[in-house]
Amino acid sequence: MGNLLVLGDSDIHNILINLSKSEIHTFRDVLAQCLIDYSIGAERKYQPLPGVINRPEGQKCLFRPFTSPAGIGSKIIVQPAPTSKAAGALRGMIAVCDSDGLPSGILNAEEVTGYRTALIALIPYLWRRHTEKIVVFGAGKQALWHLRLALALRGDEIKSIVLVNRTASRAEGLLARLREENEARWKSAATMQHIDHSRPDYQECLKDHLSTADAIFCTTGATEPLFPAPYVMREGKDRHPYISAVGSWQPDMIELDPELLQQIVKGTELGSKAGSLLVDDREGVLHHSGEVPRSKIAAEHLVEVGEVEGLSLKERGEDPVQYWMRNGLLVYKSVGVGLTDLAASTAILAIARERGLGTTISQF
């Protein structure tokens, strides 16, 4: 029998928040390779389909199994009912076995999911030439990890961070925590502020910030688009934003205006990477997101991050792909790839064992 390591939320948080810049890049490389193996390797056909159950009480439940040559496991995620005190959170657990089926780890899923989702969304962000101005929608764990990682990796380039959230107290609470962590860890000179939804000129203020943003992170479970497409369209300009949308993971959820996605692929040749909609999982986005079905975009207009990461340096160096990656209007839509949960969990378990963290159950 094996030794099972159990990691709670606080242990996982302490591991991830204390990773150095070089360690974060190493973690990023692990996840990028995982996506390459999924997109252009053989791993896709060995991944079971996820299951989604929406309870009549209001809970949204995700069951995501995964396999690899080194391990097998599953993740359970629950979004509590709207009437719950925990409404808006994403909670659950990840169970991991080794290749022989011996249980090796159980992890609280909150920090793992928040970290791996944010870090994968920042893979394209790291391609970008500019990142002076960031706008983020949401004030939960996803928003917090997006901003932590952006500050850890490119904090010296960031000049301003604007948070958009309907609940002012949550937004101010996140910014207070982020300012404290930034002062202690990354020491970025970026200004940080919240846009109050109740202000009479909210739409005008939002448009002003989005029209000049270099990066826009969307991290909410919204059921209506967060902003109209014209707020970010910059025809005739050389500087365009990178936009990531990771919060919507069911067909009734939507963060991005369908018009925005239609404009992105308009005039793009089918099969072309430059000008495509960037996704983590083509089939997953087609069937489990609100944006793509409502935009009626063909699958041929979707390109996976793993496909772009797998390009040779020669292929990346050729325009227009390189220009699109660094300067173009680049939009990324994510619904999650289970294999990355396994890769992230395995990496975290290895660090925990090395540092003597968590609770070990012998002969499990």
Side-chain angles (χ1 to χ4, degrees):
M1 305 301 288
N3 294 327
L4 177 73
L5 180 59
V6 180
L7 291 176
D9 198 56
S10 60
D11 280 334
I12 297 170
H13 171 79
N14 288 336
I15 289 172
L16 297 176
I17 196 68
N18 287 307
L19 293 178
S20 66
K21 185 174 181 177
S22 63
E23 288 172 326
I24 296 171
H25 275 288
T26 298
F27 210 122
R28 173 254 175 234
D29 292 344
V30 169
L31 295 177
Q33 185 58 53
C34 184
L35 292 173
I36 292 170
D37 293 341
Y38 183 79
S39 293
I40 61 179
E43 283 302 318
R44 189 192 304 267
K45 61 184 177 182
Y46 301 116
Q47 304 311 312
L49 293 174
V52 175
I53 296 292
N54 294 327
R55 294 282 312 169
E57 297 82 5
Q59 301 99 323
K60 296 180 184 293
C61 311
L62 171 67
F63 304 87
R64 191 188 291 278
F66 36 74
T67 76
S68 80
I72 298 163
S74 185
K75 179 169 79 169
I76 300 172
I77 289 291
V78 178
Q79 181 175 314
T83 55
S84 169
K85 293 181 179 179
L90 290 174
R91 295 178 169 174
M93 60 173 283
I94 299 171
V96 179
C97 298
D98 67 16
S99 59
D100 294 324
L102 290 175
S104 57
I106 294 177
L107 303 86
N108 186 301
E110 282 194 74
E111 292 287 331
V112 180
T113 302
Y115 188 87
R116 73 93 165 128
T117 302
L119 188 52
I120 291 173
L122 264 66
I123 290 176
Y125 167 77
L126 292 173
W127 302 340
R128 306 296 284 178
R129 184 188 300 274
H130 301 290
T131 181
E132 292 180 4
K133 298 179 180 180
I134 293 177
V135 176
V136 61
F137 288 85
K141 194 156 286 191
Q142 286 289 355
L144 185 55
W145 272 118
H146 275 70
L147 292 174
R148 282 169 171 161
L149 288 167
L151 288 169
L153 295 171
R154 302 186 70 173
D156 57 338
E157 302 172 66
I158 301 170
K159 292 185 178 180
S160 71
I161 292 172
V162 175
L163 187 68
V164 185
N165 192 67
R166 291 188 179 276
T167 307
S169 59
R170 288 193 71 199
E172 293 301 334
L174 183 148
L175 288 178
R177 182 172 184 178
L178 191 66
R179 289 187 186 104
E180 182 179 347
E181 292 178 348
N182 179 56
E183 184 177 347
R185 300 175 185 278
W186 312 298
K187 305 189 185 305
S188 171
T191 62
M192 304 180 192
Q193 64 172 301
H194 163 240
I195 300 180
D196 191 339
H197 268 261
S198 64
R199 57 187 293 171
D201 63 342
Y202 168 74
Q203 286 295 333
E204 182 180 348
C205 181
L206 179 63
K207 182 179 180 181
D208 286 344
H209 284 293
L210 291 177
S211 66
T212 59
D214 295 305
I216 301 168
F217 301 138
C218 304
T219 69
T220 77
T223 54
E224 295 293 336
L226 297 173
F227 54 87
Y231 284 15
V232 297
M233 302 301 293
R234 305 174 192 171
E235 291 188 22
K237 295 187 178 181
D238 293 330
R239 192 157 169 172
H240 301 276
Y242 165 61
I243 304 172
S244 67
V246 306
S248 57
W249 54 281
Q250 291 201 349
D252 64 335
M253 298 176 176
I254 184 169
E255 295 182 291
L256 302 179
D257 186 349
E259 181 188 344
L260 172 62
L261 305 191
Q262 292 164 0
Q263 289 296 320
I264 289 170
V265 303
K266 186 178 180 180
T268 303
E269 295 181 7
L270 288 178
S272 170
K273 291 182 172 60
S276 301
L277 175 63
L278 195 64
V279 300
D280 53 356
D281 179 359
R282 187 178 289 104
E283 289 299 315
V285 167
L286 283 169
H287 297 105
H288 298 292
S289 74
E291 286 89 350
V292 172
R294 295 192 209 183
S295 304
K296 296 180 172 59
I297 294 176
E300 291 82 0
H301 281 307
L302 309 181
V303 60
E304 294 180 348
V305 174
E307 293 174 324
V308 179
E309 277 287 308
L311 292 174
S312 68
L313 291 176
K314 179 181 178 181
E315 289 173 309
R316 286 195 189 186
E318 295 175 352
D319 288 331
V321 174
Q322 179 72 6
Y323 181 87
W324 171 66
M325 291 171 64
R326 299 193 67 194
N327 306 291
L329 176 56
L330 182 63
V331 178
Y332 167 67
K333 173 62 203 160
S334 164
V335 292
V337 173
L339 192 59
T340 62
D341 287 312
L342 178 57
S345 298
T346 301
I348 292 167
L349 286 168
I351 295 171
R353 287 192 172 93
E354 182 180 306
R355 299 179 182 178
L357 299 174
T359 301
T360 299
I361 303 176
S362 300
Q363 302 299 308
F364 183 79

